[in-house]
Amino acid sequence: MSKYLILILTALLLWPVIPAMFYLPGYILRDHPLHRPEEITRMWRQEAVKLDGAGRDRIQERLSELNAEYPDAEMFWVDQTGTTNAVANRPEDIPERWTYMDALAFRTQDYVHGKFAITSLIGDDPKQGFMVMRLPESHILSAEMSLSGNKLLVLLFFIICLTFFMLSWLFFVRLRRRLVMLQSAMTVNDTRQIPDEVVISKDDEIGELEGAFNRMVRQLKDSRNREREEEELRKQFISNISHDLRTPLTVIRQHAHTVRKDPASSQGQASLSVIEHKLDEVGELMDNLLSYTLLSAGKYLLRLQTIDIVEEVRNRVADWYPVFEDKGFDVHVELPELPLTWVADPLWLNRILDNVFQNVVRHAGSGRYIGIQIVVVDGQRMLVVKDKGPGTSGESPEKGAGIGLSIVSMMAKEMGMNWKLKSNANGSQFYIWKEKKLQCESS
């Protein structure tokens, strides 16, 4: 747009500039002045009026003075008898004695034989005669600047118009070529579902469009890669879920065979306990799977409010304490007396704690330890849950798809929380915290 505006402005400026450049050297370097026809005509007529009633000698004297001011002019006057009185030599085309027809024909012509003629009645009275002044046509400004009378200038303007047309045509041809190339790059087919990036040739509006197109192509490729990764994760997730369901069902099937043989025996009763435990695990897995599906679809209801994290954690630990005691865990709780308020959903927070506690019970049972604390790391208050199990790299007979941590991750993100899991051979530490600007601590 800027280039084309410059092209148009250049063409518009050339219209006044070219004539000025064409005539200015001659105007400056010429050896005689230029006169405007209206000014020189007004002057001559005023002089004729001033000579009202003047005698022959006075008229001749005044015309001689004017001839000295305009040396290139021819001046003469005709008295009431029709006799020509020349200031210097009488021009050859001027009769010595005038007839009525001569005077009438002369007054009707401004330009005679390439000369500009001015005729005025002396004293504005036909009976006193008239006086004439003639200047060469080159001394008259309007004639000198006449565009129609200068073929070279007309040709020059024609060349300018033709050049402007050709430059405009080339401008739009190149513009169209770039747009056609971009359109061709946007075209996709069965073998190429995502177009290739284009080379940005110039830093202009089309260059910005090409840059936006390249960014769109990169986003499409990233989206395609993410879809493939998500597809692989989905397949792996389904495989792990199938394994998680198959394992307890296999155990249930085996113990159901034992119960069928002798349900009243001690072995039958133990098998029933195992079946009940495994059914609880299947129920927990189905609940997690439902929660994961609702979270992924954005249909899990979130109600944010200001809650006391210390109180919520203490109540949740109290609910889980019988489970920890039954499993023989050493429970270490170190929570401050002062409240620590976060903006969160209490049900979602309890679900996060349930998943973390459940992972400790299922995967870190060999350590027989769980610690719940509020710690300060880099000036940030965090809730940490510790165990002394084999860590995430260790083997657990109940290790599954990791759907619990997936739920934790999604819920924490929706509530504006951060979390991380550190693990080694001596145990794992689960941290969750709220950023300072979102955290409010009261005393």
PDB file of all heavy atoms in Angstrom, residues 381-397:
ATOM      1  N   ARG A 381       4.233 -21.583  51.207  1.00  0.00           N
ATOM      2  CA  ARG A 381       3.663 -22.610  52.081  1.00  0.00           C
ATOM      3  C   ARG A 381       3.074 -23.724  51.223  1.00  0.00           C
ATOM      4  O   ARG A 381       2.274 -23.463  50.326  1.00  0.00           O
ATOM      5  CB  ARG A 381       2.586 -22.025  52.994  1.00  0.00           C
ATOM      6  CG  ARG A 381       3.154 -21.091  54.069  1.00  0.00           C
ATOM      7  CD  ARG A 381       2.108 -20.719  55.090  1.00  0.00           C
ATOM      8  NE  ARG A 381       2.671 -19.919  56.159  1.00  0.00           N
ATOM      9  CZ  ARG A 381       3.264 -20.399  57.244  1.00  0.00           C
ATOM     10  NH1 ARG A 381       3.346 -21.714  57.400  1.00  0.00           N
ATOM     11  NH2 ARG A 381       3.747 -19.597  58.169  1.00  0.00           N
ATOM     12  N   MET A 382       3.465 -24.974  51.521  1.00  0.00           N
ATOM     13  CA  MET A 382       3.025 -26.123  50.744  1.00  0.00           C
ATOM     14  C   MET A 382       2.521 -27.214  51.671  1.00  0.00           C
ATOM     15  O   MET A 382       2.999 -27.369  52.801  1.00  0.00           O
ATOM     16  CB  MET A 382       4.188 -26.695  49.920  1.00  0.00           C
ATOM     17  CG  MET A 382       4.813 -25.746  48.944  1.00  0.00           C
ATOM     18  SD  MET A 382       6.156 -26.550  48.012  1.00  0.00           S
ATOM     19  CE  MET A 382       6.665 -25.225  46.934  1.00  0.00           C
ATOM     20  N   LEU A 383       1.560 -27.973  51.170  1.00  0.00           N
ATOM     21  CA  LEU A 383       1.102 -29.187  51.840  1.00  0.00           C
ATOM     22  C   LEU A 383       1.893 -30.346  51.251  1.00  0.00           C
ATOM     23  O   LEU A 383       1.939 -30.514  50.030  1.00  0.00           O
ATOM     24  CB  LEU A 383      -0.392 -29.398  51.619  1.00  0.00           C
ATOM     25  CG  LEU A 383      -0.967 -30.736  52.106  1.00  0.00           C
ATOM     26  CD1 LEU A 383      -0.868 -30.838  53.624  1.00  0.00           C
ATOM     27  CD2 LEU A 383      -2.417 -30.893  51.645  1.00  0.00           C
ATOM     28  N   VAL A 384       2.523 -31.151  52.104  1.00  0.00           N
ATOM     29  CA  VAL A 384       3.334 -32.268  51.634  1.00  0.00           C
ATOM     30  C   VAL A 384       2.854 -33.545  52.300  1.00  0.00           C
ATOM     31  O   VAL A 384       2.560 -33.576  53.502  1.00  0.00           O
ATOM     32  CB  VAL A 384       4.837 -32.020  51.897  1.00  0.00           C
ATOM     33  CG1 VAL A 384       5.110 -31.793  53.376  1.00  0.00           C
ATOM     34  CG2 VAL A 384       5.664 -33.189  51.388  1.00  0.00           C
ATOM     35  N   VAL A 385       2.755 -34.617  51.494  1.00  0.00           N
ATOM     36  CA  VAL A 385       2.401 -35.951  51.986  1.00  0.00           C
ATOM     37  C   VAL A 385       3.578 -36.867  51.666  1.00  0.00           C
ATOM     38  O   VAL A 385       3.941 -37.038  50.501  1.00  0.00           O
ATOM     39  CB  VAL A 385       1.110 -36.466  51.321  1.00  0.00           C
ATOM     40  CG1 VAL A 385       0.785 -37.871  51.849  1.00  0.00           C
ATOM     41  CG2 VAL A 385      -0.064 -35.527  51.588  1.00  0.00           C
ATOM     42  N   LYS A 386       4.160 -37.489  52.739  1.00  0.00           N
ATOM     43  CA  LYS A 386       5.359 -38.304  52.572  1.00  0.00           C
ATOM     44  C   LYS A 386       5.053 -39.761  52.889  1.00  0.00           C
ATOM     45  O   LYS A 386       4.152 -40.071  53.680  1.00  0.00           O
ATOM     46  CB  LYS A 386       6.477 -37.821  53.486  1.00  0.00           C
ATOM     47  CG  LYS A 386       6.877 -36.361  53.279  1.00  0.00           C
ATOM     48  CD  LYS A 386       7.975 -35.968  54.261  1.00  0.00           C
ATOM     49  CE  LYS A 386       8.385 -34.508  54.085  1.00  0.00           C
ATOM     50  NZ  LYS A 386       9.450 -34.127  55.041  1.00  0.00           N
ATOM     51  N   ASP A 387       5.807 -40.655  52.252  1.00  0.00           N
ATOM     52  CA  ASP A 387       5.744 -42.076  52.601  1.00  0.00           C
ATOM     53  C   ASP A 387       7.144 -42.652  52.524  1.00  0.00           C
ATOM     54  O   ASP A 387       8.080 -41.980  52.106  1.00  0.00           O
ATOM     55  CB  ASP A 387       4.783 -42.827  51.667  1.00  0.00           C
ATOM     56  CG  ASP A 387       5.255 -42.830  50.225  1.00  0.00           C
ATOM     57  OD1 ASP A 387       6.322 -43.412  49.955  1.00  0.00           O
ATOM     58  OD2 ASP A 387       4.547 -42.254  49.348  1.00  0.00           O
ATOM     59  N   LYS A 388       7.289 -43.900  52.957  1.00  0.00           N
ATOM     60  CA  LYS A 388       8.585 -44.587  52.942  1.00  0.00           C
ATOM     61  C   LYS A 388       8.513 -45.856  52.112  1.00  0.00           C
ATOM     62  O   LYS A 388       9.128 -46.871  52.430  1.00  0.00           O
ATOM     63  CB  LYS A 388       9.032 -44.906  54.371  1.00  0.00           C
ATOM     64  CG  LYS A 388       9.306 -43.659  55.207  1.00  0.00           C
ATOM     65  CD  LYS A 388       9.776 -44.026  56.599  1.00  0.00           C
ATOM     66  CE  LYS A 388      10.059 -42.769  57.423  1.00  0.00           C
ATOM     67  NZ  LYS A 388      10.531 -43.095  58.805  1.00  0.00           N
ATOM     68  N   GLY A 389       7.717 -45.759  51.016  1.00  0.00           N
ATOM     69  CA  GLY A 389       7.572 -46.916  50.136  1.00  0.00           C
ATOM     70  C   GLY A 389       8.729 -47.035  49.151  1.00  0.00           C
ATOM     71  O   GLY A 389       9.731 -46.319  49.239  1.00  0.00           O
ATOM     72  N   PRO A 390       8.578 -47.901  48.152  1.00  0.00           N
ATOM     73  CA  PRO A 390       9.652 -48.122  47.184  1.00  0.00           C
ATOM     74  C   PRO A 390       9.783 -47.012  46.150  1.00  0.00           C
ATOM     75  O   PRO A 390      10.694 -47.052  45.315  1.00  0.00           O
ATOM     76  CB  PRO A 390       9.238 -49.443  46.514  1.00  0.00           C
ATOM     77  CG  PRO A 390       7.753 -49.470  46.632  1.00  0.00           C
ATOM     78  CD  PRO A 390       7.430 -48.816  47.932  1.00  0.00           C
ATOM     79  N   GLY A 391       8.908 -46.032  46.151  1.00  0.00           N
ATOM     80  CA  GLY A 391       8.984 -44.956  45.172  1.00  0.00           C
ATOM     81  C   GLY A 391       8.269 -45.335  43.872  1.00  0.00           C
ATOM     82  O   GLY A 391       7.864 -46.478  43.670  1.00  0.00           O
ATOM     83  N   THR A 392       8.137 -44.363  42.974  1.00  0.00           N
ATOM     84  CA  THR A 392       7.423 -44.611  41.721  1.00  0.00           C
ATOM     85  C   THR A 392       8.184 -45.552  40.800  1.00  0.00           C
ATOM     86  O   THR A 392       7.591 -46.213  39.949  1.00  0.00           O
ATOM     87  CB  THR A 392       7.178 -43.281  40.976  1.00  0.00           C
ATOM     88  OG1 THR A 392       8.441 -42.630  40.777  1.00  0.00           O
ATOM     89  CG2 THR A 392       6.281 -42.368  41.775  1.00  0.00           C
ATOM     90  N   SER A 393       9.525 -45.641  40.990  1.00  0.00           N
ATOM     91  CA  SER A 393      10.310 -46.547  40.150  1.00  0.00           C
ATOM     92  C   SER A 393      10.284 -47.975  40.657  1.00  0.00           C
ATOM     93  O   SER A 393      10.668 -48.900  39.951  1.00  0.00           O
ATOM     94  CB  SER A 393      11.770 -46.070  40.062  1.00  0.00           C
ATOM     95  OG  SER A 393      12.346 -46.031  41.366  1.00  0.00           O
ATOM     96  N   GLY A 394       9.849 -48.155  41.898  1.00  0.00           N
ATOM     97  CA  GLY A 394       9.786 -49.499  42.458  1.00  0.00           C
ATOM     98  C   GLY A 394       8.572 -50.256  41.978  1.00  0.00           C
ATOM     99  O   GLY A 394       7.630 -49.697  41.415  1.00  0.00           O
ATOM    100  N   GLU A 395       8.586 -51.544  42.180  1.00  0.00           N
ATOM    101  CA  GLU A 395       7.491 -52.399  41.751  1.00  0.00           C
ATOM    102  C   GLU A 395       6.467 -52.522  42.865  1.00  0.00           C
ATOM    103  O   GLU A 395       6.800 -52.701  44.031  1.00  0.00           O
ATOM    104  CB  GLU A 395       8.017 -53.787  41.377  1.00  0.00           C
ATOM    105  CG  GLU A 395       8.887 -53.788  40.139  1.00  0.00           C
ATOM    106  CD  GLU A 395       8.133 -53.348  38.908  1.00  0.00           C
ATOM    107  OE1 GLU A 395       6.918 -53.623  38.827  1.00  0.00           O
ATOM    108  OE2 GLU A 395       8.738 -52.705  38.036  1.00  0.00           O
ATOM    109  N   SER A 396       5.199 -52.425  42.474  1.00  0.00           N
ATOM    110  CA  SER A 396       4.099 -52.602  43.412  1.00  0.00           C
ATOM    111  C   SER A 396       3.132 -53.597  42.814  1.00  0.00           C
ATOM    112  O   SER A 396       2.803 -53.519  41.637  1.00  0.00           O
ATOM    113  CB  SER A 396       3.396 -51.256  43.674  1.00  0.00           C
ATOM    114  OG  SER A 396       2.204 -51.476  44.398  1.00  0.00           O
ATOM    115  N   PRO A 397       2.645 -54.552  43.599  1.00  0.00           N
ATOM    116  CA  PRO A 397       1.724 -55.539  43.045  1.00  0.00           C
ATOM    117  C   PRO A 397       0.413 -54.929  42.588  1.00  0.00           C
ATOM    118  O   PRO A 397      -0.326 -55.528  41.820  1.00  0.00           O
ATOM    119  CB  PRO A 397       1.508 -56.501  44.228  1.00  0.00           C
ATOM    120  CG  PRO A 397       1.838 -55.713  45.446  1.00  0.00           C
ATOM    121  CD  PRO A 397       2.912 -54.770  45.046  1.00  0.00           C
TER     122      PRO A 397
END
